[in-house]
Amino acid sequence: MGKSKTTKFRRPQFNDVGLPVNAVKEVDAEEDDGDDGCPAAELLEKLQSPSADMREFACASISRVVQQSQTIPGFLQRDAVRRLGPMLLDSSLAVRETATGALRNLSACGGQEVCEDMVKHDVMTPLTALLREVRLLHLYSLLVLHHSLASESSSQALSVFNKSGLLDVVVQCLERHPHNVELAISAAHCLHTVTEDNPELLCSMNTAVLGALENVLLSSQPDMSYILLRTLAAGTLWNTKASLPAARQAQTLNAVLATLSQCLDLDAGTLIPELKQAEEARHRNAPAVTDTEDQAAGEFAVEEMDEEAPNQKRNGKSVKADYDFSDLVPRGKEELREAMALLTAQQTSLEIIVNMCCSDDPSDDEWEEESSSDESDMGPDSLCDGVSNLMSPLCLSAEVHGALINYSIPAKRVQSRALTCLHSILSSMDAESLGGPAALQDAAQHLSTLVFGAAEIPKDEEFLEAVISAMRSLLQMIASKNIPQCMTPQQLMSLSEAATRCDVVSVRVNAVAILGITGSTLAKEKGTAETLQMIGNALLAVATRDADLVVNGEALDALFDVFADGDEAETAAKNIQLLPALKALQPVFKAKIRKEGRGKYSPQQLCVLDNVKVNLRRFIGYLEKMVKK
């Protein structure tokens, strides 16, 4: 009961160098003081100006202002997306550039609401027309496209993409990676997003497209941006594996696994502090830069197909092409770009591995309550062979965390993805494939440190859910092999507190399951009655007091496992008066199922709860026989 179903990750939104949206907001908050008011009305009004210069100014100003997240509601209330959309087809090239950048920043910083607004107002139509201009491979167009496709209500955007022939345009951008890696990364983000769960597009995945992806995989540049690019290409090839020619499928998928392995082999614990030190040294040695020397924010760049033309025309004037696309990352932050590319690549690698292990059943994002004896139908045993250093992202030291905080990088997210990935692999692999008892014990000790190393249980819900799920899978495997458990009584009590205080149901479910796993192992050992009493009291409290029936049922299931057999369990059961406690709980649990079950819980959950109800009756009968002996 209460088994965690692996979450299949959807593509998150990134800026052009892979900076997640929430990190963007943090950077903006630090780098830009901004105005208290929102000049949305005035700037949107200027979009209607007959002057191209004024329209360009308005678009560039909007692009800058919306990087301050507090200003975005004012723009949305004034229909900014609908009013910016036509600017993508403006007669002025400069207006089209800056309008695309404005939409890009609005969607990157505004998140889901803006992306849904873009789809609602059919930004895909002018965006497609812009991208179809062969001479204009525009980075921000790709970013807006990526954000539109990443929206949860993106079926319309996907349909337009599939029917408009944009795949060839995006692949052209991907192929530009030797000359413009930022453009290629944006294209790779689009491809990684659009190829997920999109069978209609698979028909268009010809040998030219697959060859372009494989060429990226074979690139050897050591920069972190290329690590990210190769990771995204690997994810796209995994999404499109059904389109791979049979003769090349094994070779290509091995290359995909090798790419993910190489990414995870990079030691962020060493690289991140080195990047931070390099940044500090560069700043110490660099001459002061005046305001006039620094390019104004809000400048946007395009890449002409004609490589011999280094300059471009803007409103009839020749201007130098600017290939520094990362306007949401402060200028002069090259090391920050590298750090973000590394962590984004590792996070993406982990998400791809989770999706490899994850079944395609519906409701991937829901908590599935199943029998604790059920085995998950995950991926092949050879998967772990391609991921030689999975624990690397988990081993972020205090020094690394300090550097990440200075960089405004959400390190916990990478750790959470690594833990979820570990949980998926543990659920699908056998102990020998994972290194045997010693490796499992080392991993258990490491996870215990993550949870119990601080003064109190971590409060970050995503991280806590990931680490508790991984601990449960690992401890279950250890118990099944009769390997000694590593949790102390104090840690068990901390875990029981998490089971009662955390607002996340899945965390409470996994916490009581861990108590059950540990208790059932201890019940086979001598001299453990006192610890079993502590576990029993904690589980009884959860079974009686928790507001969620699923958690109640998981706690009862755990009690059945802990006190099912053995002299130590029998002694502990008598000392905590388990039989009368369960007799008193039985009618309450049955009534709660009758009263709350139908409207609040899924049919699968109700089926499991009914099984718990039956098992509760049988377990009470078993305890009664034990008393009569």
Side-chain angles (χ1 to χ4, degrees):
M1 165 127 190
K3 193 173 189 179
S4 172
K5 185 168 185 180
T6 307
T7 298
K8 186 173 182 179
F9 288 106
R10 295 283 177 180
R11 303 278 67 77
Q13 291 185 27
F14 296 99
N15 74 4
D16 46 310
V17 293
L19 188 61
V21 169
N22 63 344
V24 169
K25 293 177 181 177
E26 292 172 6
V27 170
D28 290 338
E30 293 178 4
E31 298 291 331
D32 196 335
D33 294 330
D35 299 323
D36 293 334
C38 174
E42 180 182 354
L43 291 177
L44 291 172
E45 189 65 31
K46 284 184 169 62
L47 294 177
Q48 308 305 315
S49 171
S51 166
D53 286 341
M54 184 59 71
R55 297 196 301 275
E56 179 187 2
F57 168 79
C59 290
S61 298
I62 291 170
S63 178
R64 180 63 179 169
V65 170
V66 297
Q67 292 182 50
Q68 305 167 52
S69 57
Q70 71 271 17
T71 68
I72 291 177
F75 282 93
L76 294 182
Q77 291 165 10
R78 293 167 176 83
D79 235 359
V81 171
R82 181 184 60 79
R83 298 169 76 172
L84 278 167
M87 299 292 103
L88 300 181
L89 300 179
D90 195 271
S91 58
S92 165
L93 171 62
V95 173
R96 284 183 294 185
E97 294 173 30
T98 50
T100 311
L103 276 171
R104 173 276 182 126
N105 287 1
L106 189 62
S107 59
C109 300
Q112 183 70 21
E113 185 179 358
V114 176
C115 294
E116 291 178 352
D117 220 19
M118 289 196 303
V119 175
K120 174 183 174 184
H121 291 297
D122 195 22
V123 168
M124 284 294 292
T125 297
L127 183 61
T128 299
L130 183 62
L131 283 165
R132 292 301 297 170
E133 293 185 18
V134 179
R135 296 183 71 253
L136 188 63
L137 297 184
H138 200 306
L139 179 85
Y140 292 109
S141 301
L142 287 174
L143 291 166
V144 176
L145 175 64
H146 173 230
H147 294 163
S148 299
L149 295 169
S151 170
E152 289 184 4
S153 57
S154 63
S155 58
Q156 179 183 345
L158 282 175
S159 178
V160 173
F161 186 96
N162 292 344
K163 295 173 182 176
S164 63
L166 283 179
L167 178 62
D168 292 338
V169 176
V170 176
V171 171
Q172 286 181 38
C173 297
L174 180 71
E175 291 175 328
R176 301 293 299 154
H177 68 86
H179 311 287
N180 192 336
V181 69
E182 289 88 357
L183 183 75
I185 287 174
S186 297
H189 274 304
C190 284
L191 289 171
H192 195 201
T193 298
V194 80
T195 54
E196 186 173 9
D197 299 327
N198 188 1
E200 182 182 348
L201 187 67
L202 294 185
C203 302
S204 304
M205 300 300 291
N206 54 40
T207 54
V209 176
L210 296 172
L213 290 164
E214 290 172 346
N215 285 339
V216 170
L217 228 55
L218 294 174
S219 64
S220 58
Q221 292 90 332
D223 305 40
M224 294 303 131
S225 55
Y226 271 91
I227 298 292
L228 175 57
L229 180 64
R230 288 193 287 268
T231 299
L232 292 167
T236 303
L237 283 167
W238 174 258
N239 290 343
T240 59
K241 58 187 178 296
S243 300
L244 293 171
R248 288 164 48 195
Q249 191 171 65
Q251 180 182 1
T252 300
L253 292 182
N254 282 335
V256 166
L257 286 174
T259 298
L260 302 179
S261 176
Q262 291 162 9
C263 176
L264 294 177
D265 276 339
L266 293 171
D267 186 3
T270 300
L271 293 171
I272 297 291
E274 287 178 355
L275 287 169
K276 187 61 180 173
Q277 291 168 8
E279 179 190 59
E280 292 170 350
R282 181 170 56 82
H283 285 171
R284 283 196 302 269
N285 299 329
V289 178
T290 65
D291 292 340
T292 56
E293 292 173 330
D294 191 16
Q295 280 191 316
E299 288 291 315
F300 303 101
V302 297
E303 179 185 356
E304 295 283 359
M305 291 293 288
D306 182 2
E307 293 181 23
E308 296 181 359
N311 295 333
Q312 299 172 23
K313 296 290 183 179
R314 175 170 298 157
N315 290 342
K317 302 174 184 177
S318 178
V319 295
K320 184 178 179 180
D322 175 12
Y323 294 108
D324 182 7
F325 298 111
S326 310
D327 61 296
L328 290 185
V329 178
R331 295 186 183 278
K333 294 283 188 178
E334 290 82 2
E335 295 82 8
L336 170 58
R337 298 167 191 267
E338 289 281 284
M340 278 310 312
L342 167 61
L343 291 183
T344 301
Q346 290 195 330
Q347 176 178 321
T348 304
S349 295
L350 293 164
E351 291 171 358
I352 294 167
I353 295 169
V354 170
N355 290 349
M356 287 177 171
C357 295
C358 183
S359 69
D360 291 327
D361 295 337
S363 306
D364 283 336
D365 295 328
E366 296 177 1
W367 191 261
E368 180 181 359
E369 309 306 334
E370 298 176 348
S371 169
S372 57
S373 63
D374 286 348
E375 294 296 331
S376 182
D377 53 342
M378 297 294 185
D381 286 349
S382 61
L383 182 60
C384 271
D385 295 337
V387 188
S388 58
N389 197 14
L390 175 64
M391 297 298 284
S392 169
L394 301 178
C395 301
L396 297 176
S397 66
E399 181 183 8
V400 180
H401 274 293
L404 295 177
I405 290 170
N406 289 335
Y407 274 151
S408 301
I409 294 175
K412 282 290 188 215
R413 176 169 296 168
V414 182
Q415 286 185 299
S416 297
R417 294 299 190 267
L419 289 162
T420 302
C421 184
L422 178 63
H423 162 67
S424 300
I425 289 179
L426 287 167
S427 300
S428 61
M429 310 298 292
D430 57 58
E432 287 69 31
S433 298
L434 294 168
L440 295 177
Q441 284 182 313
D442 287 345
Q445 188 60 50
H446 183 72
L447 293 183
S448 298
T449 301
L450 288 177
V451 179
F452 304 110
E456 57 182 15
I457 294 282
K459 296 211 169 32
D460 183 280
E461 291 183 355
E462 181 185 11
F463 174 73
L464 184 57
E465 185 171 11
V467 72
I468 294 281
S469 296
M471 281 185 68
R472 177 179 178 175
S473 295
L474 183 57
L475 293 176
Q476 184 66 62
M477 180 175 285
I478 287 175
S480 69
K481 297 296 181 181
N482 294 317
I483 301 171
Q485 299 279 5
C486 60
M487 295 184 67
T488 66
Q490 292 77 17
Q491 290 175 338
L492 288 171
M493 281 297 91
S494 296
L495 201 58
S496 69
E497 289 181 16
T500 57
R501 294 181 182 178
C502 184
D503 292 334
V504 182
V505 170
S506 59
V507 171
R508 303 204 302 274
V509 165
N510 276 325
V512 296
I514 290 172
L515 291 175
I517 293 167
T518 306
S520 62
T521 302
L522 291 174
K524 301 171 186 175
E525 303 173 8
K526 296 292 185 183
T528 58
E530 186 175 345
T531 303
L532 293 177
Q533 290 173 213
M534 182 176 62
I535 292 174
N537 282 325
L539 291 173
L540 275 174
V542 174
T544 305
R545 299 170 191 166
D546 198 282
D548 194 285
L549 265 173
V550 170
V551 183
N552 300 149
E554 186 67 55
L556 287 170
D557 235 7
L559 281 167
F560 305 156
D561 290 339
V562 173
F563 296 98
D565 193 24
D567 293 339
E568 298 292 330
E570 184 177 344
T571 300
K574 290 178 181 177
N575 290 343
I576 65 172
Q577 297 291 298
L578 182 60
L579 177 58
L582 291 180
K583 280 186 173 181
L585 176 60
Q586 185 181 28
V588 177
F589 184 67
K590 290 169 63 176
K592 197 173 180 182
I593 292 177
R594 268 195 320 270
K595 182 178 180 182
E596 301 179 11
R598 299 299 166 192
K600 189 174 179 181
Y601 300 96
S602 69
Q604 294 89 344
Q605 290 172 328
L606 288 174
C607 180
V608 173
L609 289 169
D610 284 337
N611 287 336
V612 174
K613 181 176 65 177
V614 172
N615 290 337
L616 176 57
R617 174 174 53 81
R618 292 173 178 171
F619 190 70
I620 287 174
Y622 162 76
L623 290 178
E624 288 175 334
K625 289 180 183 177
M626 296 294 296
V627 170
K628 292 177 182 177
K629 284 198 319 181

